[in-house]
Amino acid sequence: MFSYRHAFHAGNHADVLKHMVLIATLDHMLEKETALTVVDTHAGAGLYRLDGDYAGTSGEAAEGVLRLVTDPKAPPAPAPAPATTAAAKKAAKEAEAPLADALARYLEVIHDFNAKGGARVYPGSPFIVQHLLRDHDRLKLFELHPTDSRTLTANIAQLEAGRQIAVLHEDGFGSATKFLPPPSRRALVLMDPSYELKTDYGRVLDFAAEALKRFATGTYAVWYPIIPRPEAHDLPRRLKTLATKAGKSSLNVTLTVKSSKITTAPSGETRRPGLPASGMFLINPPYTLKPLLEAALPQLVQKLGQDRNAGFTVEAAG
Ligand code: SAM
């Protein structure tokens, strides 16, 4: 247990999807003046350096957020050659299209942490949420890894946010429901486990069921990997059943960037594709989210897709 460190993965395509959905959801929920409580059951370290040792080891941000921002040190791009084929013309037209609102907003938040451009600093969910919250809102952060919990505590301390933020070195699945319902009866709960343990899939479901029982009108967001594993395959289906049985609406959004096929190199070496796709499942999503994502996802596919298997789905129920 605990070999997972989010610093290796910060800013990858899964973070882009997760954080874009998180920001669009929060933007809507923060339109109401009543205080909002955000519970992040698996918070990570909070803030990451994309030019640091961890991120450099796997370079996952290179196939994620770094494809979306302009490197301030890069020389000006040469003028593109005129598009001749139909496919090249289509790609050129898509590249010129204005950014969809949800994607533009995500990049605006990333830019807020990188005033000089680029994305040397990548905000994890705790910093993204804190950046958007108002003084009277509350943020509860759970992180169980001893090192990440210490880093998170130190990172959060720099914000001098006082009582607004609580960092708990506790099992997010075990005790986060104690904050539900919050006094103002408005909450967003983000469940973003590493799925390092197969049991995480079942625990997400148990947690969501318990949370819905305690606070049926809360908004719940679950990130999950799309990998060839029965538990991963079943999770969105089981979450949908849970929401439907509770009479709640749901939204399931997925982003695929490449094929999940394991290939063999000419040398005979087996090549695993890494994470090819992921999804966000929301219970009680804001009604504004679906159209925002339907506009943004084709652009994400175009910018982050690595082969012809790239694609997206946005599916609402209830
Ligand atoms: N939500 C973060 C973000 O978007 O920036 C990333 C979180 S990362 C995918 C998952 C985190 O959960 C890891 O930092 C891991 O140490 C932590 N973790 C694993 N099991 C946990 C548990 N039972 N309770 C709380 N945190 C846990």
Side-chain angles (χ1 to χ4, degrees):
M1 186 176 178
F2 278 151
S3 58
Y4 182 94
R5 309 293 303 281
H6 195 67
F8 291 112
H9 310 284
N12 67 3
H13 63 84
D15 262 8
V16 173
L17 174 70
K18 179 201 318 174
H19 295 150
M20 187 181 78
V21 173
L22 179 64
I23 291 165
T25 303
L26 270 173
D27 275 350
H28 179 81
M29 296 186 84
L30 291 170
E31 279 176 11
K32 262 199 190 156
E33 189 48 32
T34 317
L36 180 73
T37 293
V38 180
V39 180
D40 192 345
T41 61
H42 295 69
L47 204 59
Y48 306 92
R49 289 297 300 245
L50 293 186
D51 54 358
D53 289 347
Y54 285 120
T57 309
S58 66
E60 289 187 21
E63 305 294 0
V65 67
L66 296 179
R67 281 193 180 200
L68 305 174
V69 296
T70 337
D71 179 353
K73 286 193 211 133
T84 47
T85 65
K89 280 184 185 152
K90 184 170 173 257
K93 206 169 160 204
E94 281 170 354
E96 274 170 23
L99 282 184
D101 289 349
L103 182 52
R105 180 72 179 118
Y106 164 76
L107 291 175
E108 186 178 76
V109 171
I110 299 304
H111 189 263
D112 289 344
F113 288 87
N114 293 278
K116 291 183 184 157
R120 281 158 64 98
V121 172
Y122 191 79
S125 51
F127 271 66
I128 290 176
V129 175
Q130 194 279 335
H131 186 60
L132 302 182
L133 290 192
R134 302 144 316 171
D135 289 350
H136 61 295
D137 299 317
R138 295 288 175 264
L139 174 57
K140 313 290 182 193
L141 301 169
F142 287 79
E143 174 53 52
L144 203 49
H145 193 293
T147 313
D148 281 355
S149 171
R150 264 198 306 277
T151 310
L152 177 66
T153 304
N155 283 336
I156 292 292
Q158 290 185 24
L159 294 171
E160 298 183 357
R163 289 184 51 235
Q164 186 188 40
I165 310 180
V167 180
L168 298 100
H169 182 199
E170 291 175 24
D171 178 2
F173 286 136
S175 56
T177 51
K178 67 186 170 196
F179 291 114
L180 302 176
S184 69
R185 300 198 68 84
R186 298 192 67 235
L188 166 65
V189 181
L190 172 65
M191 284 160 262
D192 181 24
S194 47
Y195 299 94
E196 199 183 349
L197 301 172
K198 221 162 56 176
T199 48
D200 277 354
Y201 296 93
R203 293 192 81 197
V204 165
L205 276 161
D206 292 345
F207 181 90
E210 168 67 16
L212 265 181
K213 231 186 266 168
R214 290 176 73 111
F215 184 40
T217 54
T219 295
Y220 299 95
V222 177
W223 178 87
Y224 62 94
I226 301 179
I227 48 174
R229 167 170 234 170
E231 296 83 0
H233 182 260
D234 286 349
L235 184 60
R237 194 177 48 76
R238 294 178 72 188
L239 283 167
K240 185 174 168 187
T241 304
L242 177 73
T244 308
K245 278 193 179 154
K248 299 294 163 193
S249 60
S250 65
L251 185 69
N252 186 23
V253 48
T254 69
L255 171 67
T256 301
V257 297
K258 60 183 169 182
S259 161
S260 61
K261 280 212 180 87
I262 297 171
T263 52
T264 310
S267 63
E269 181 199 356
T270 302
R271 285 196 184 140
R272 293 179 187 280
L275 182 68
S278 71
M280 279 287 269
F281 193 98
L282 290 101
I283 301 176
N284 295 327
Y287 72 93
T288 46
L289 196 55
K290 185 169 183 268
L292 281 173
L293 297 180
E294 281 170 337
L297 264 292
Q299 294 189 345
L300 271 193
V301 169
Q302 194 235 328
K303 290 173 191 301
L304 303 185
Q306 295 176 35
D307 61 32
R308 60 194 174 82
N309 295 281
F312 74 95
T313 61
V314 182
E315 197 187 295

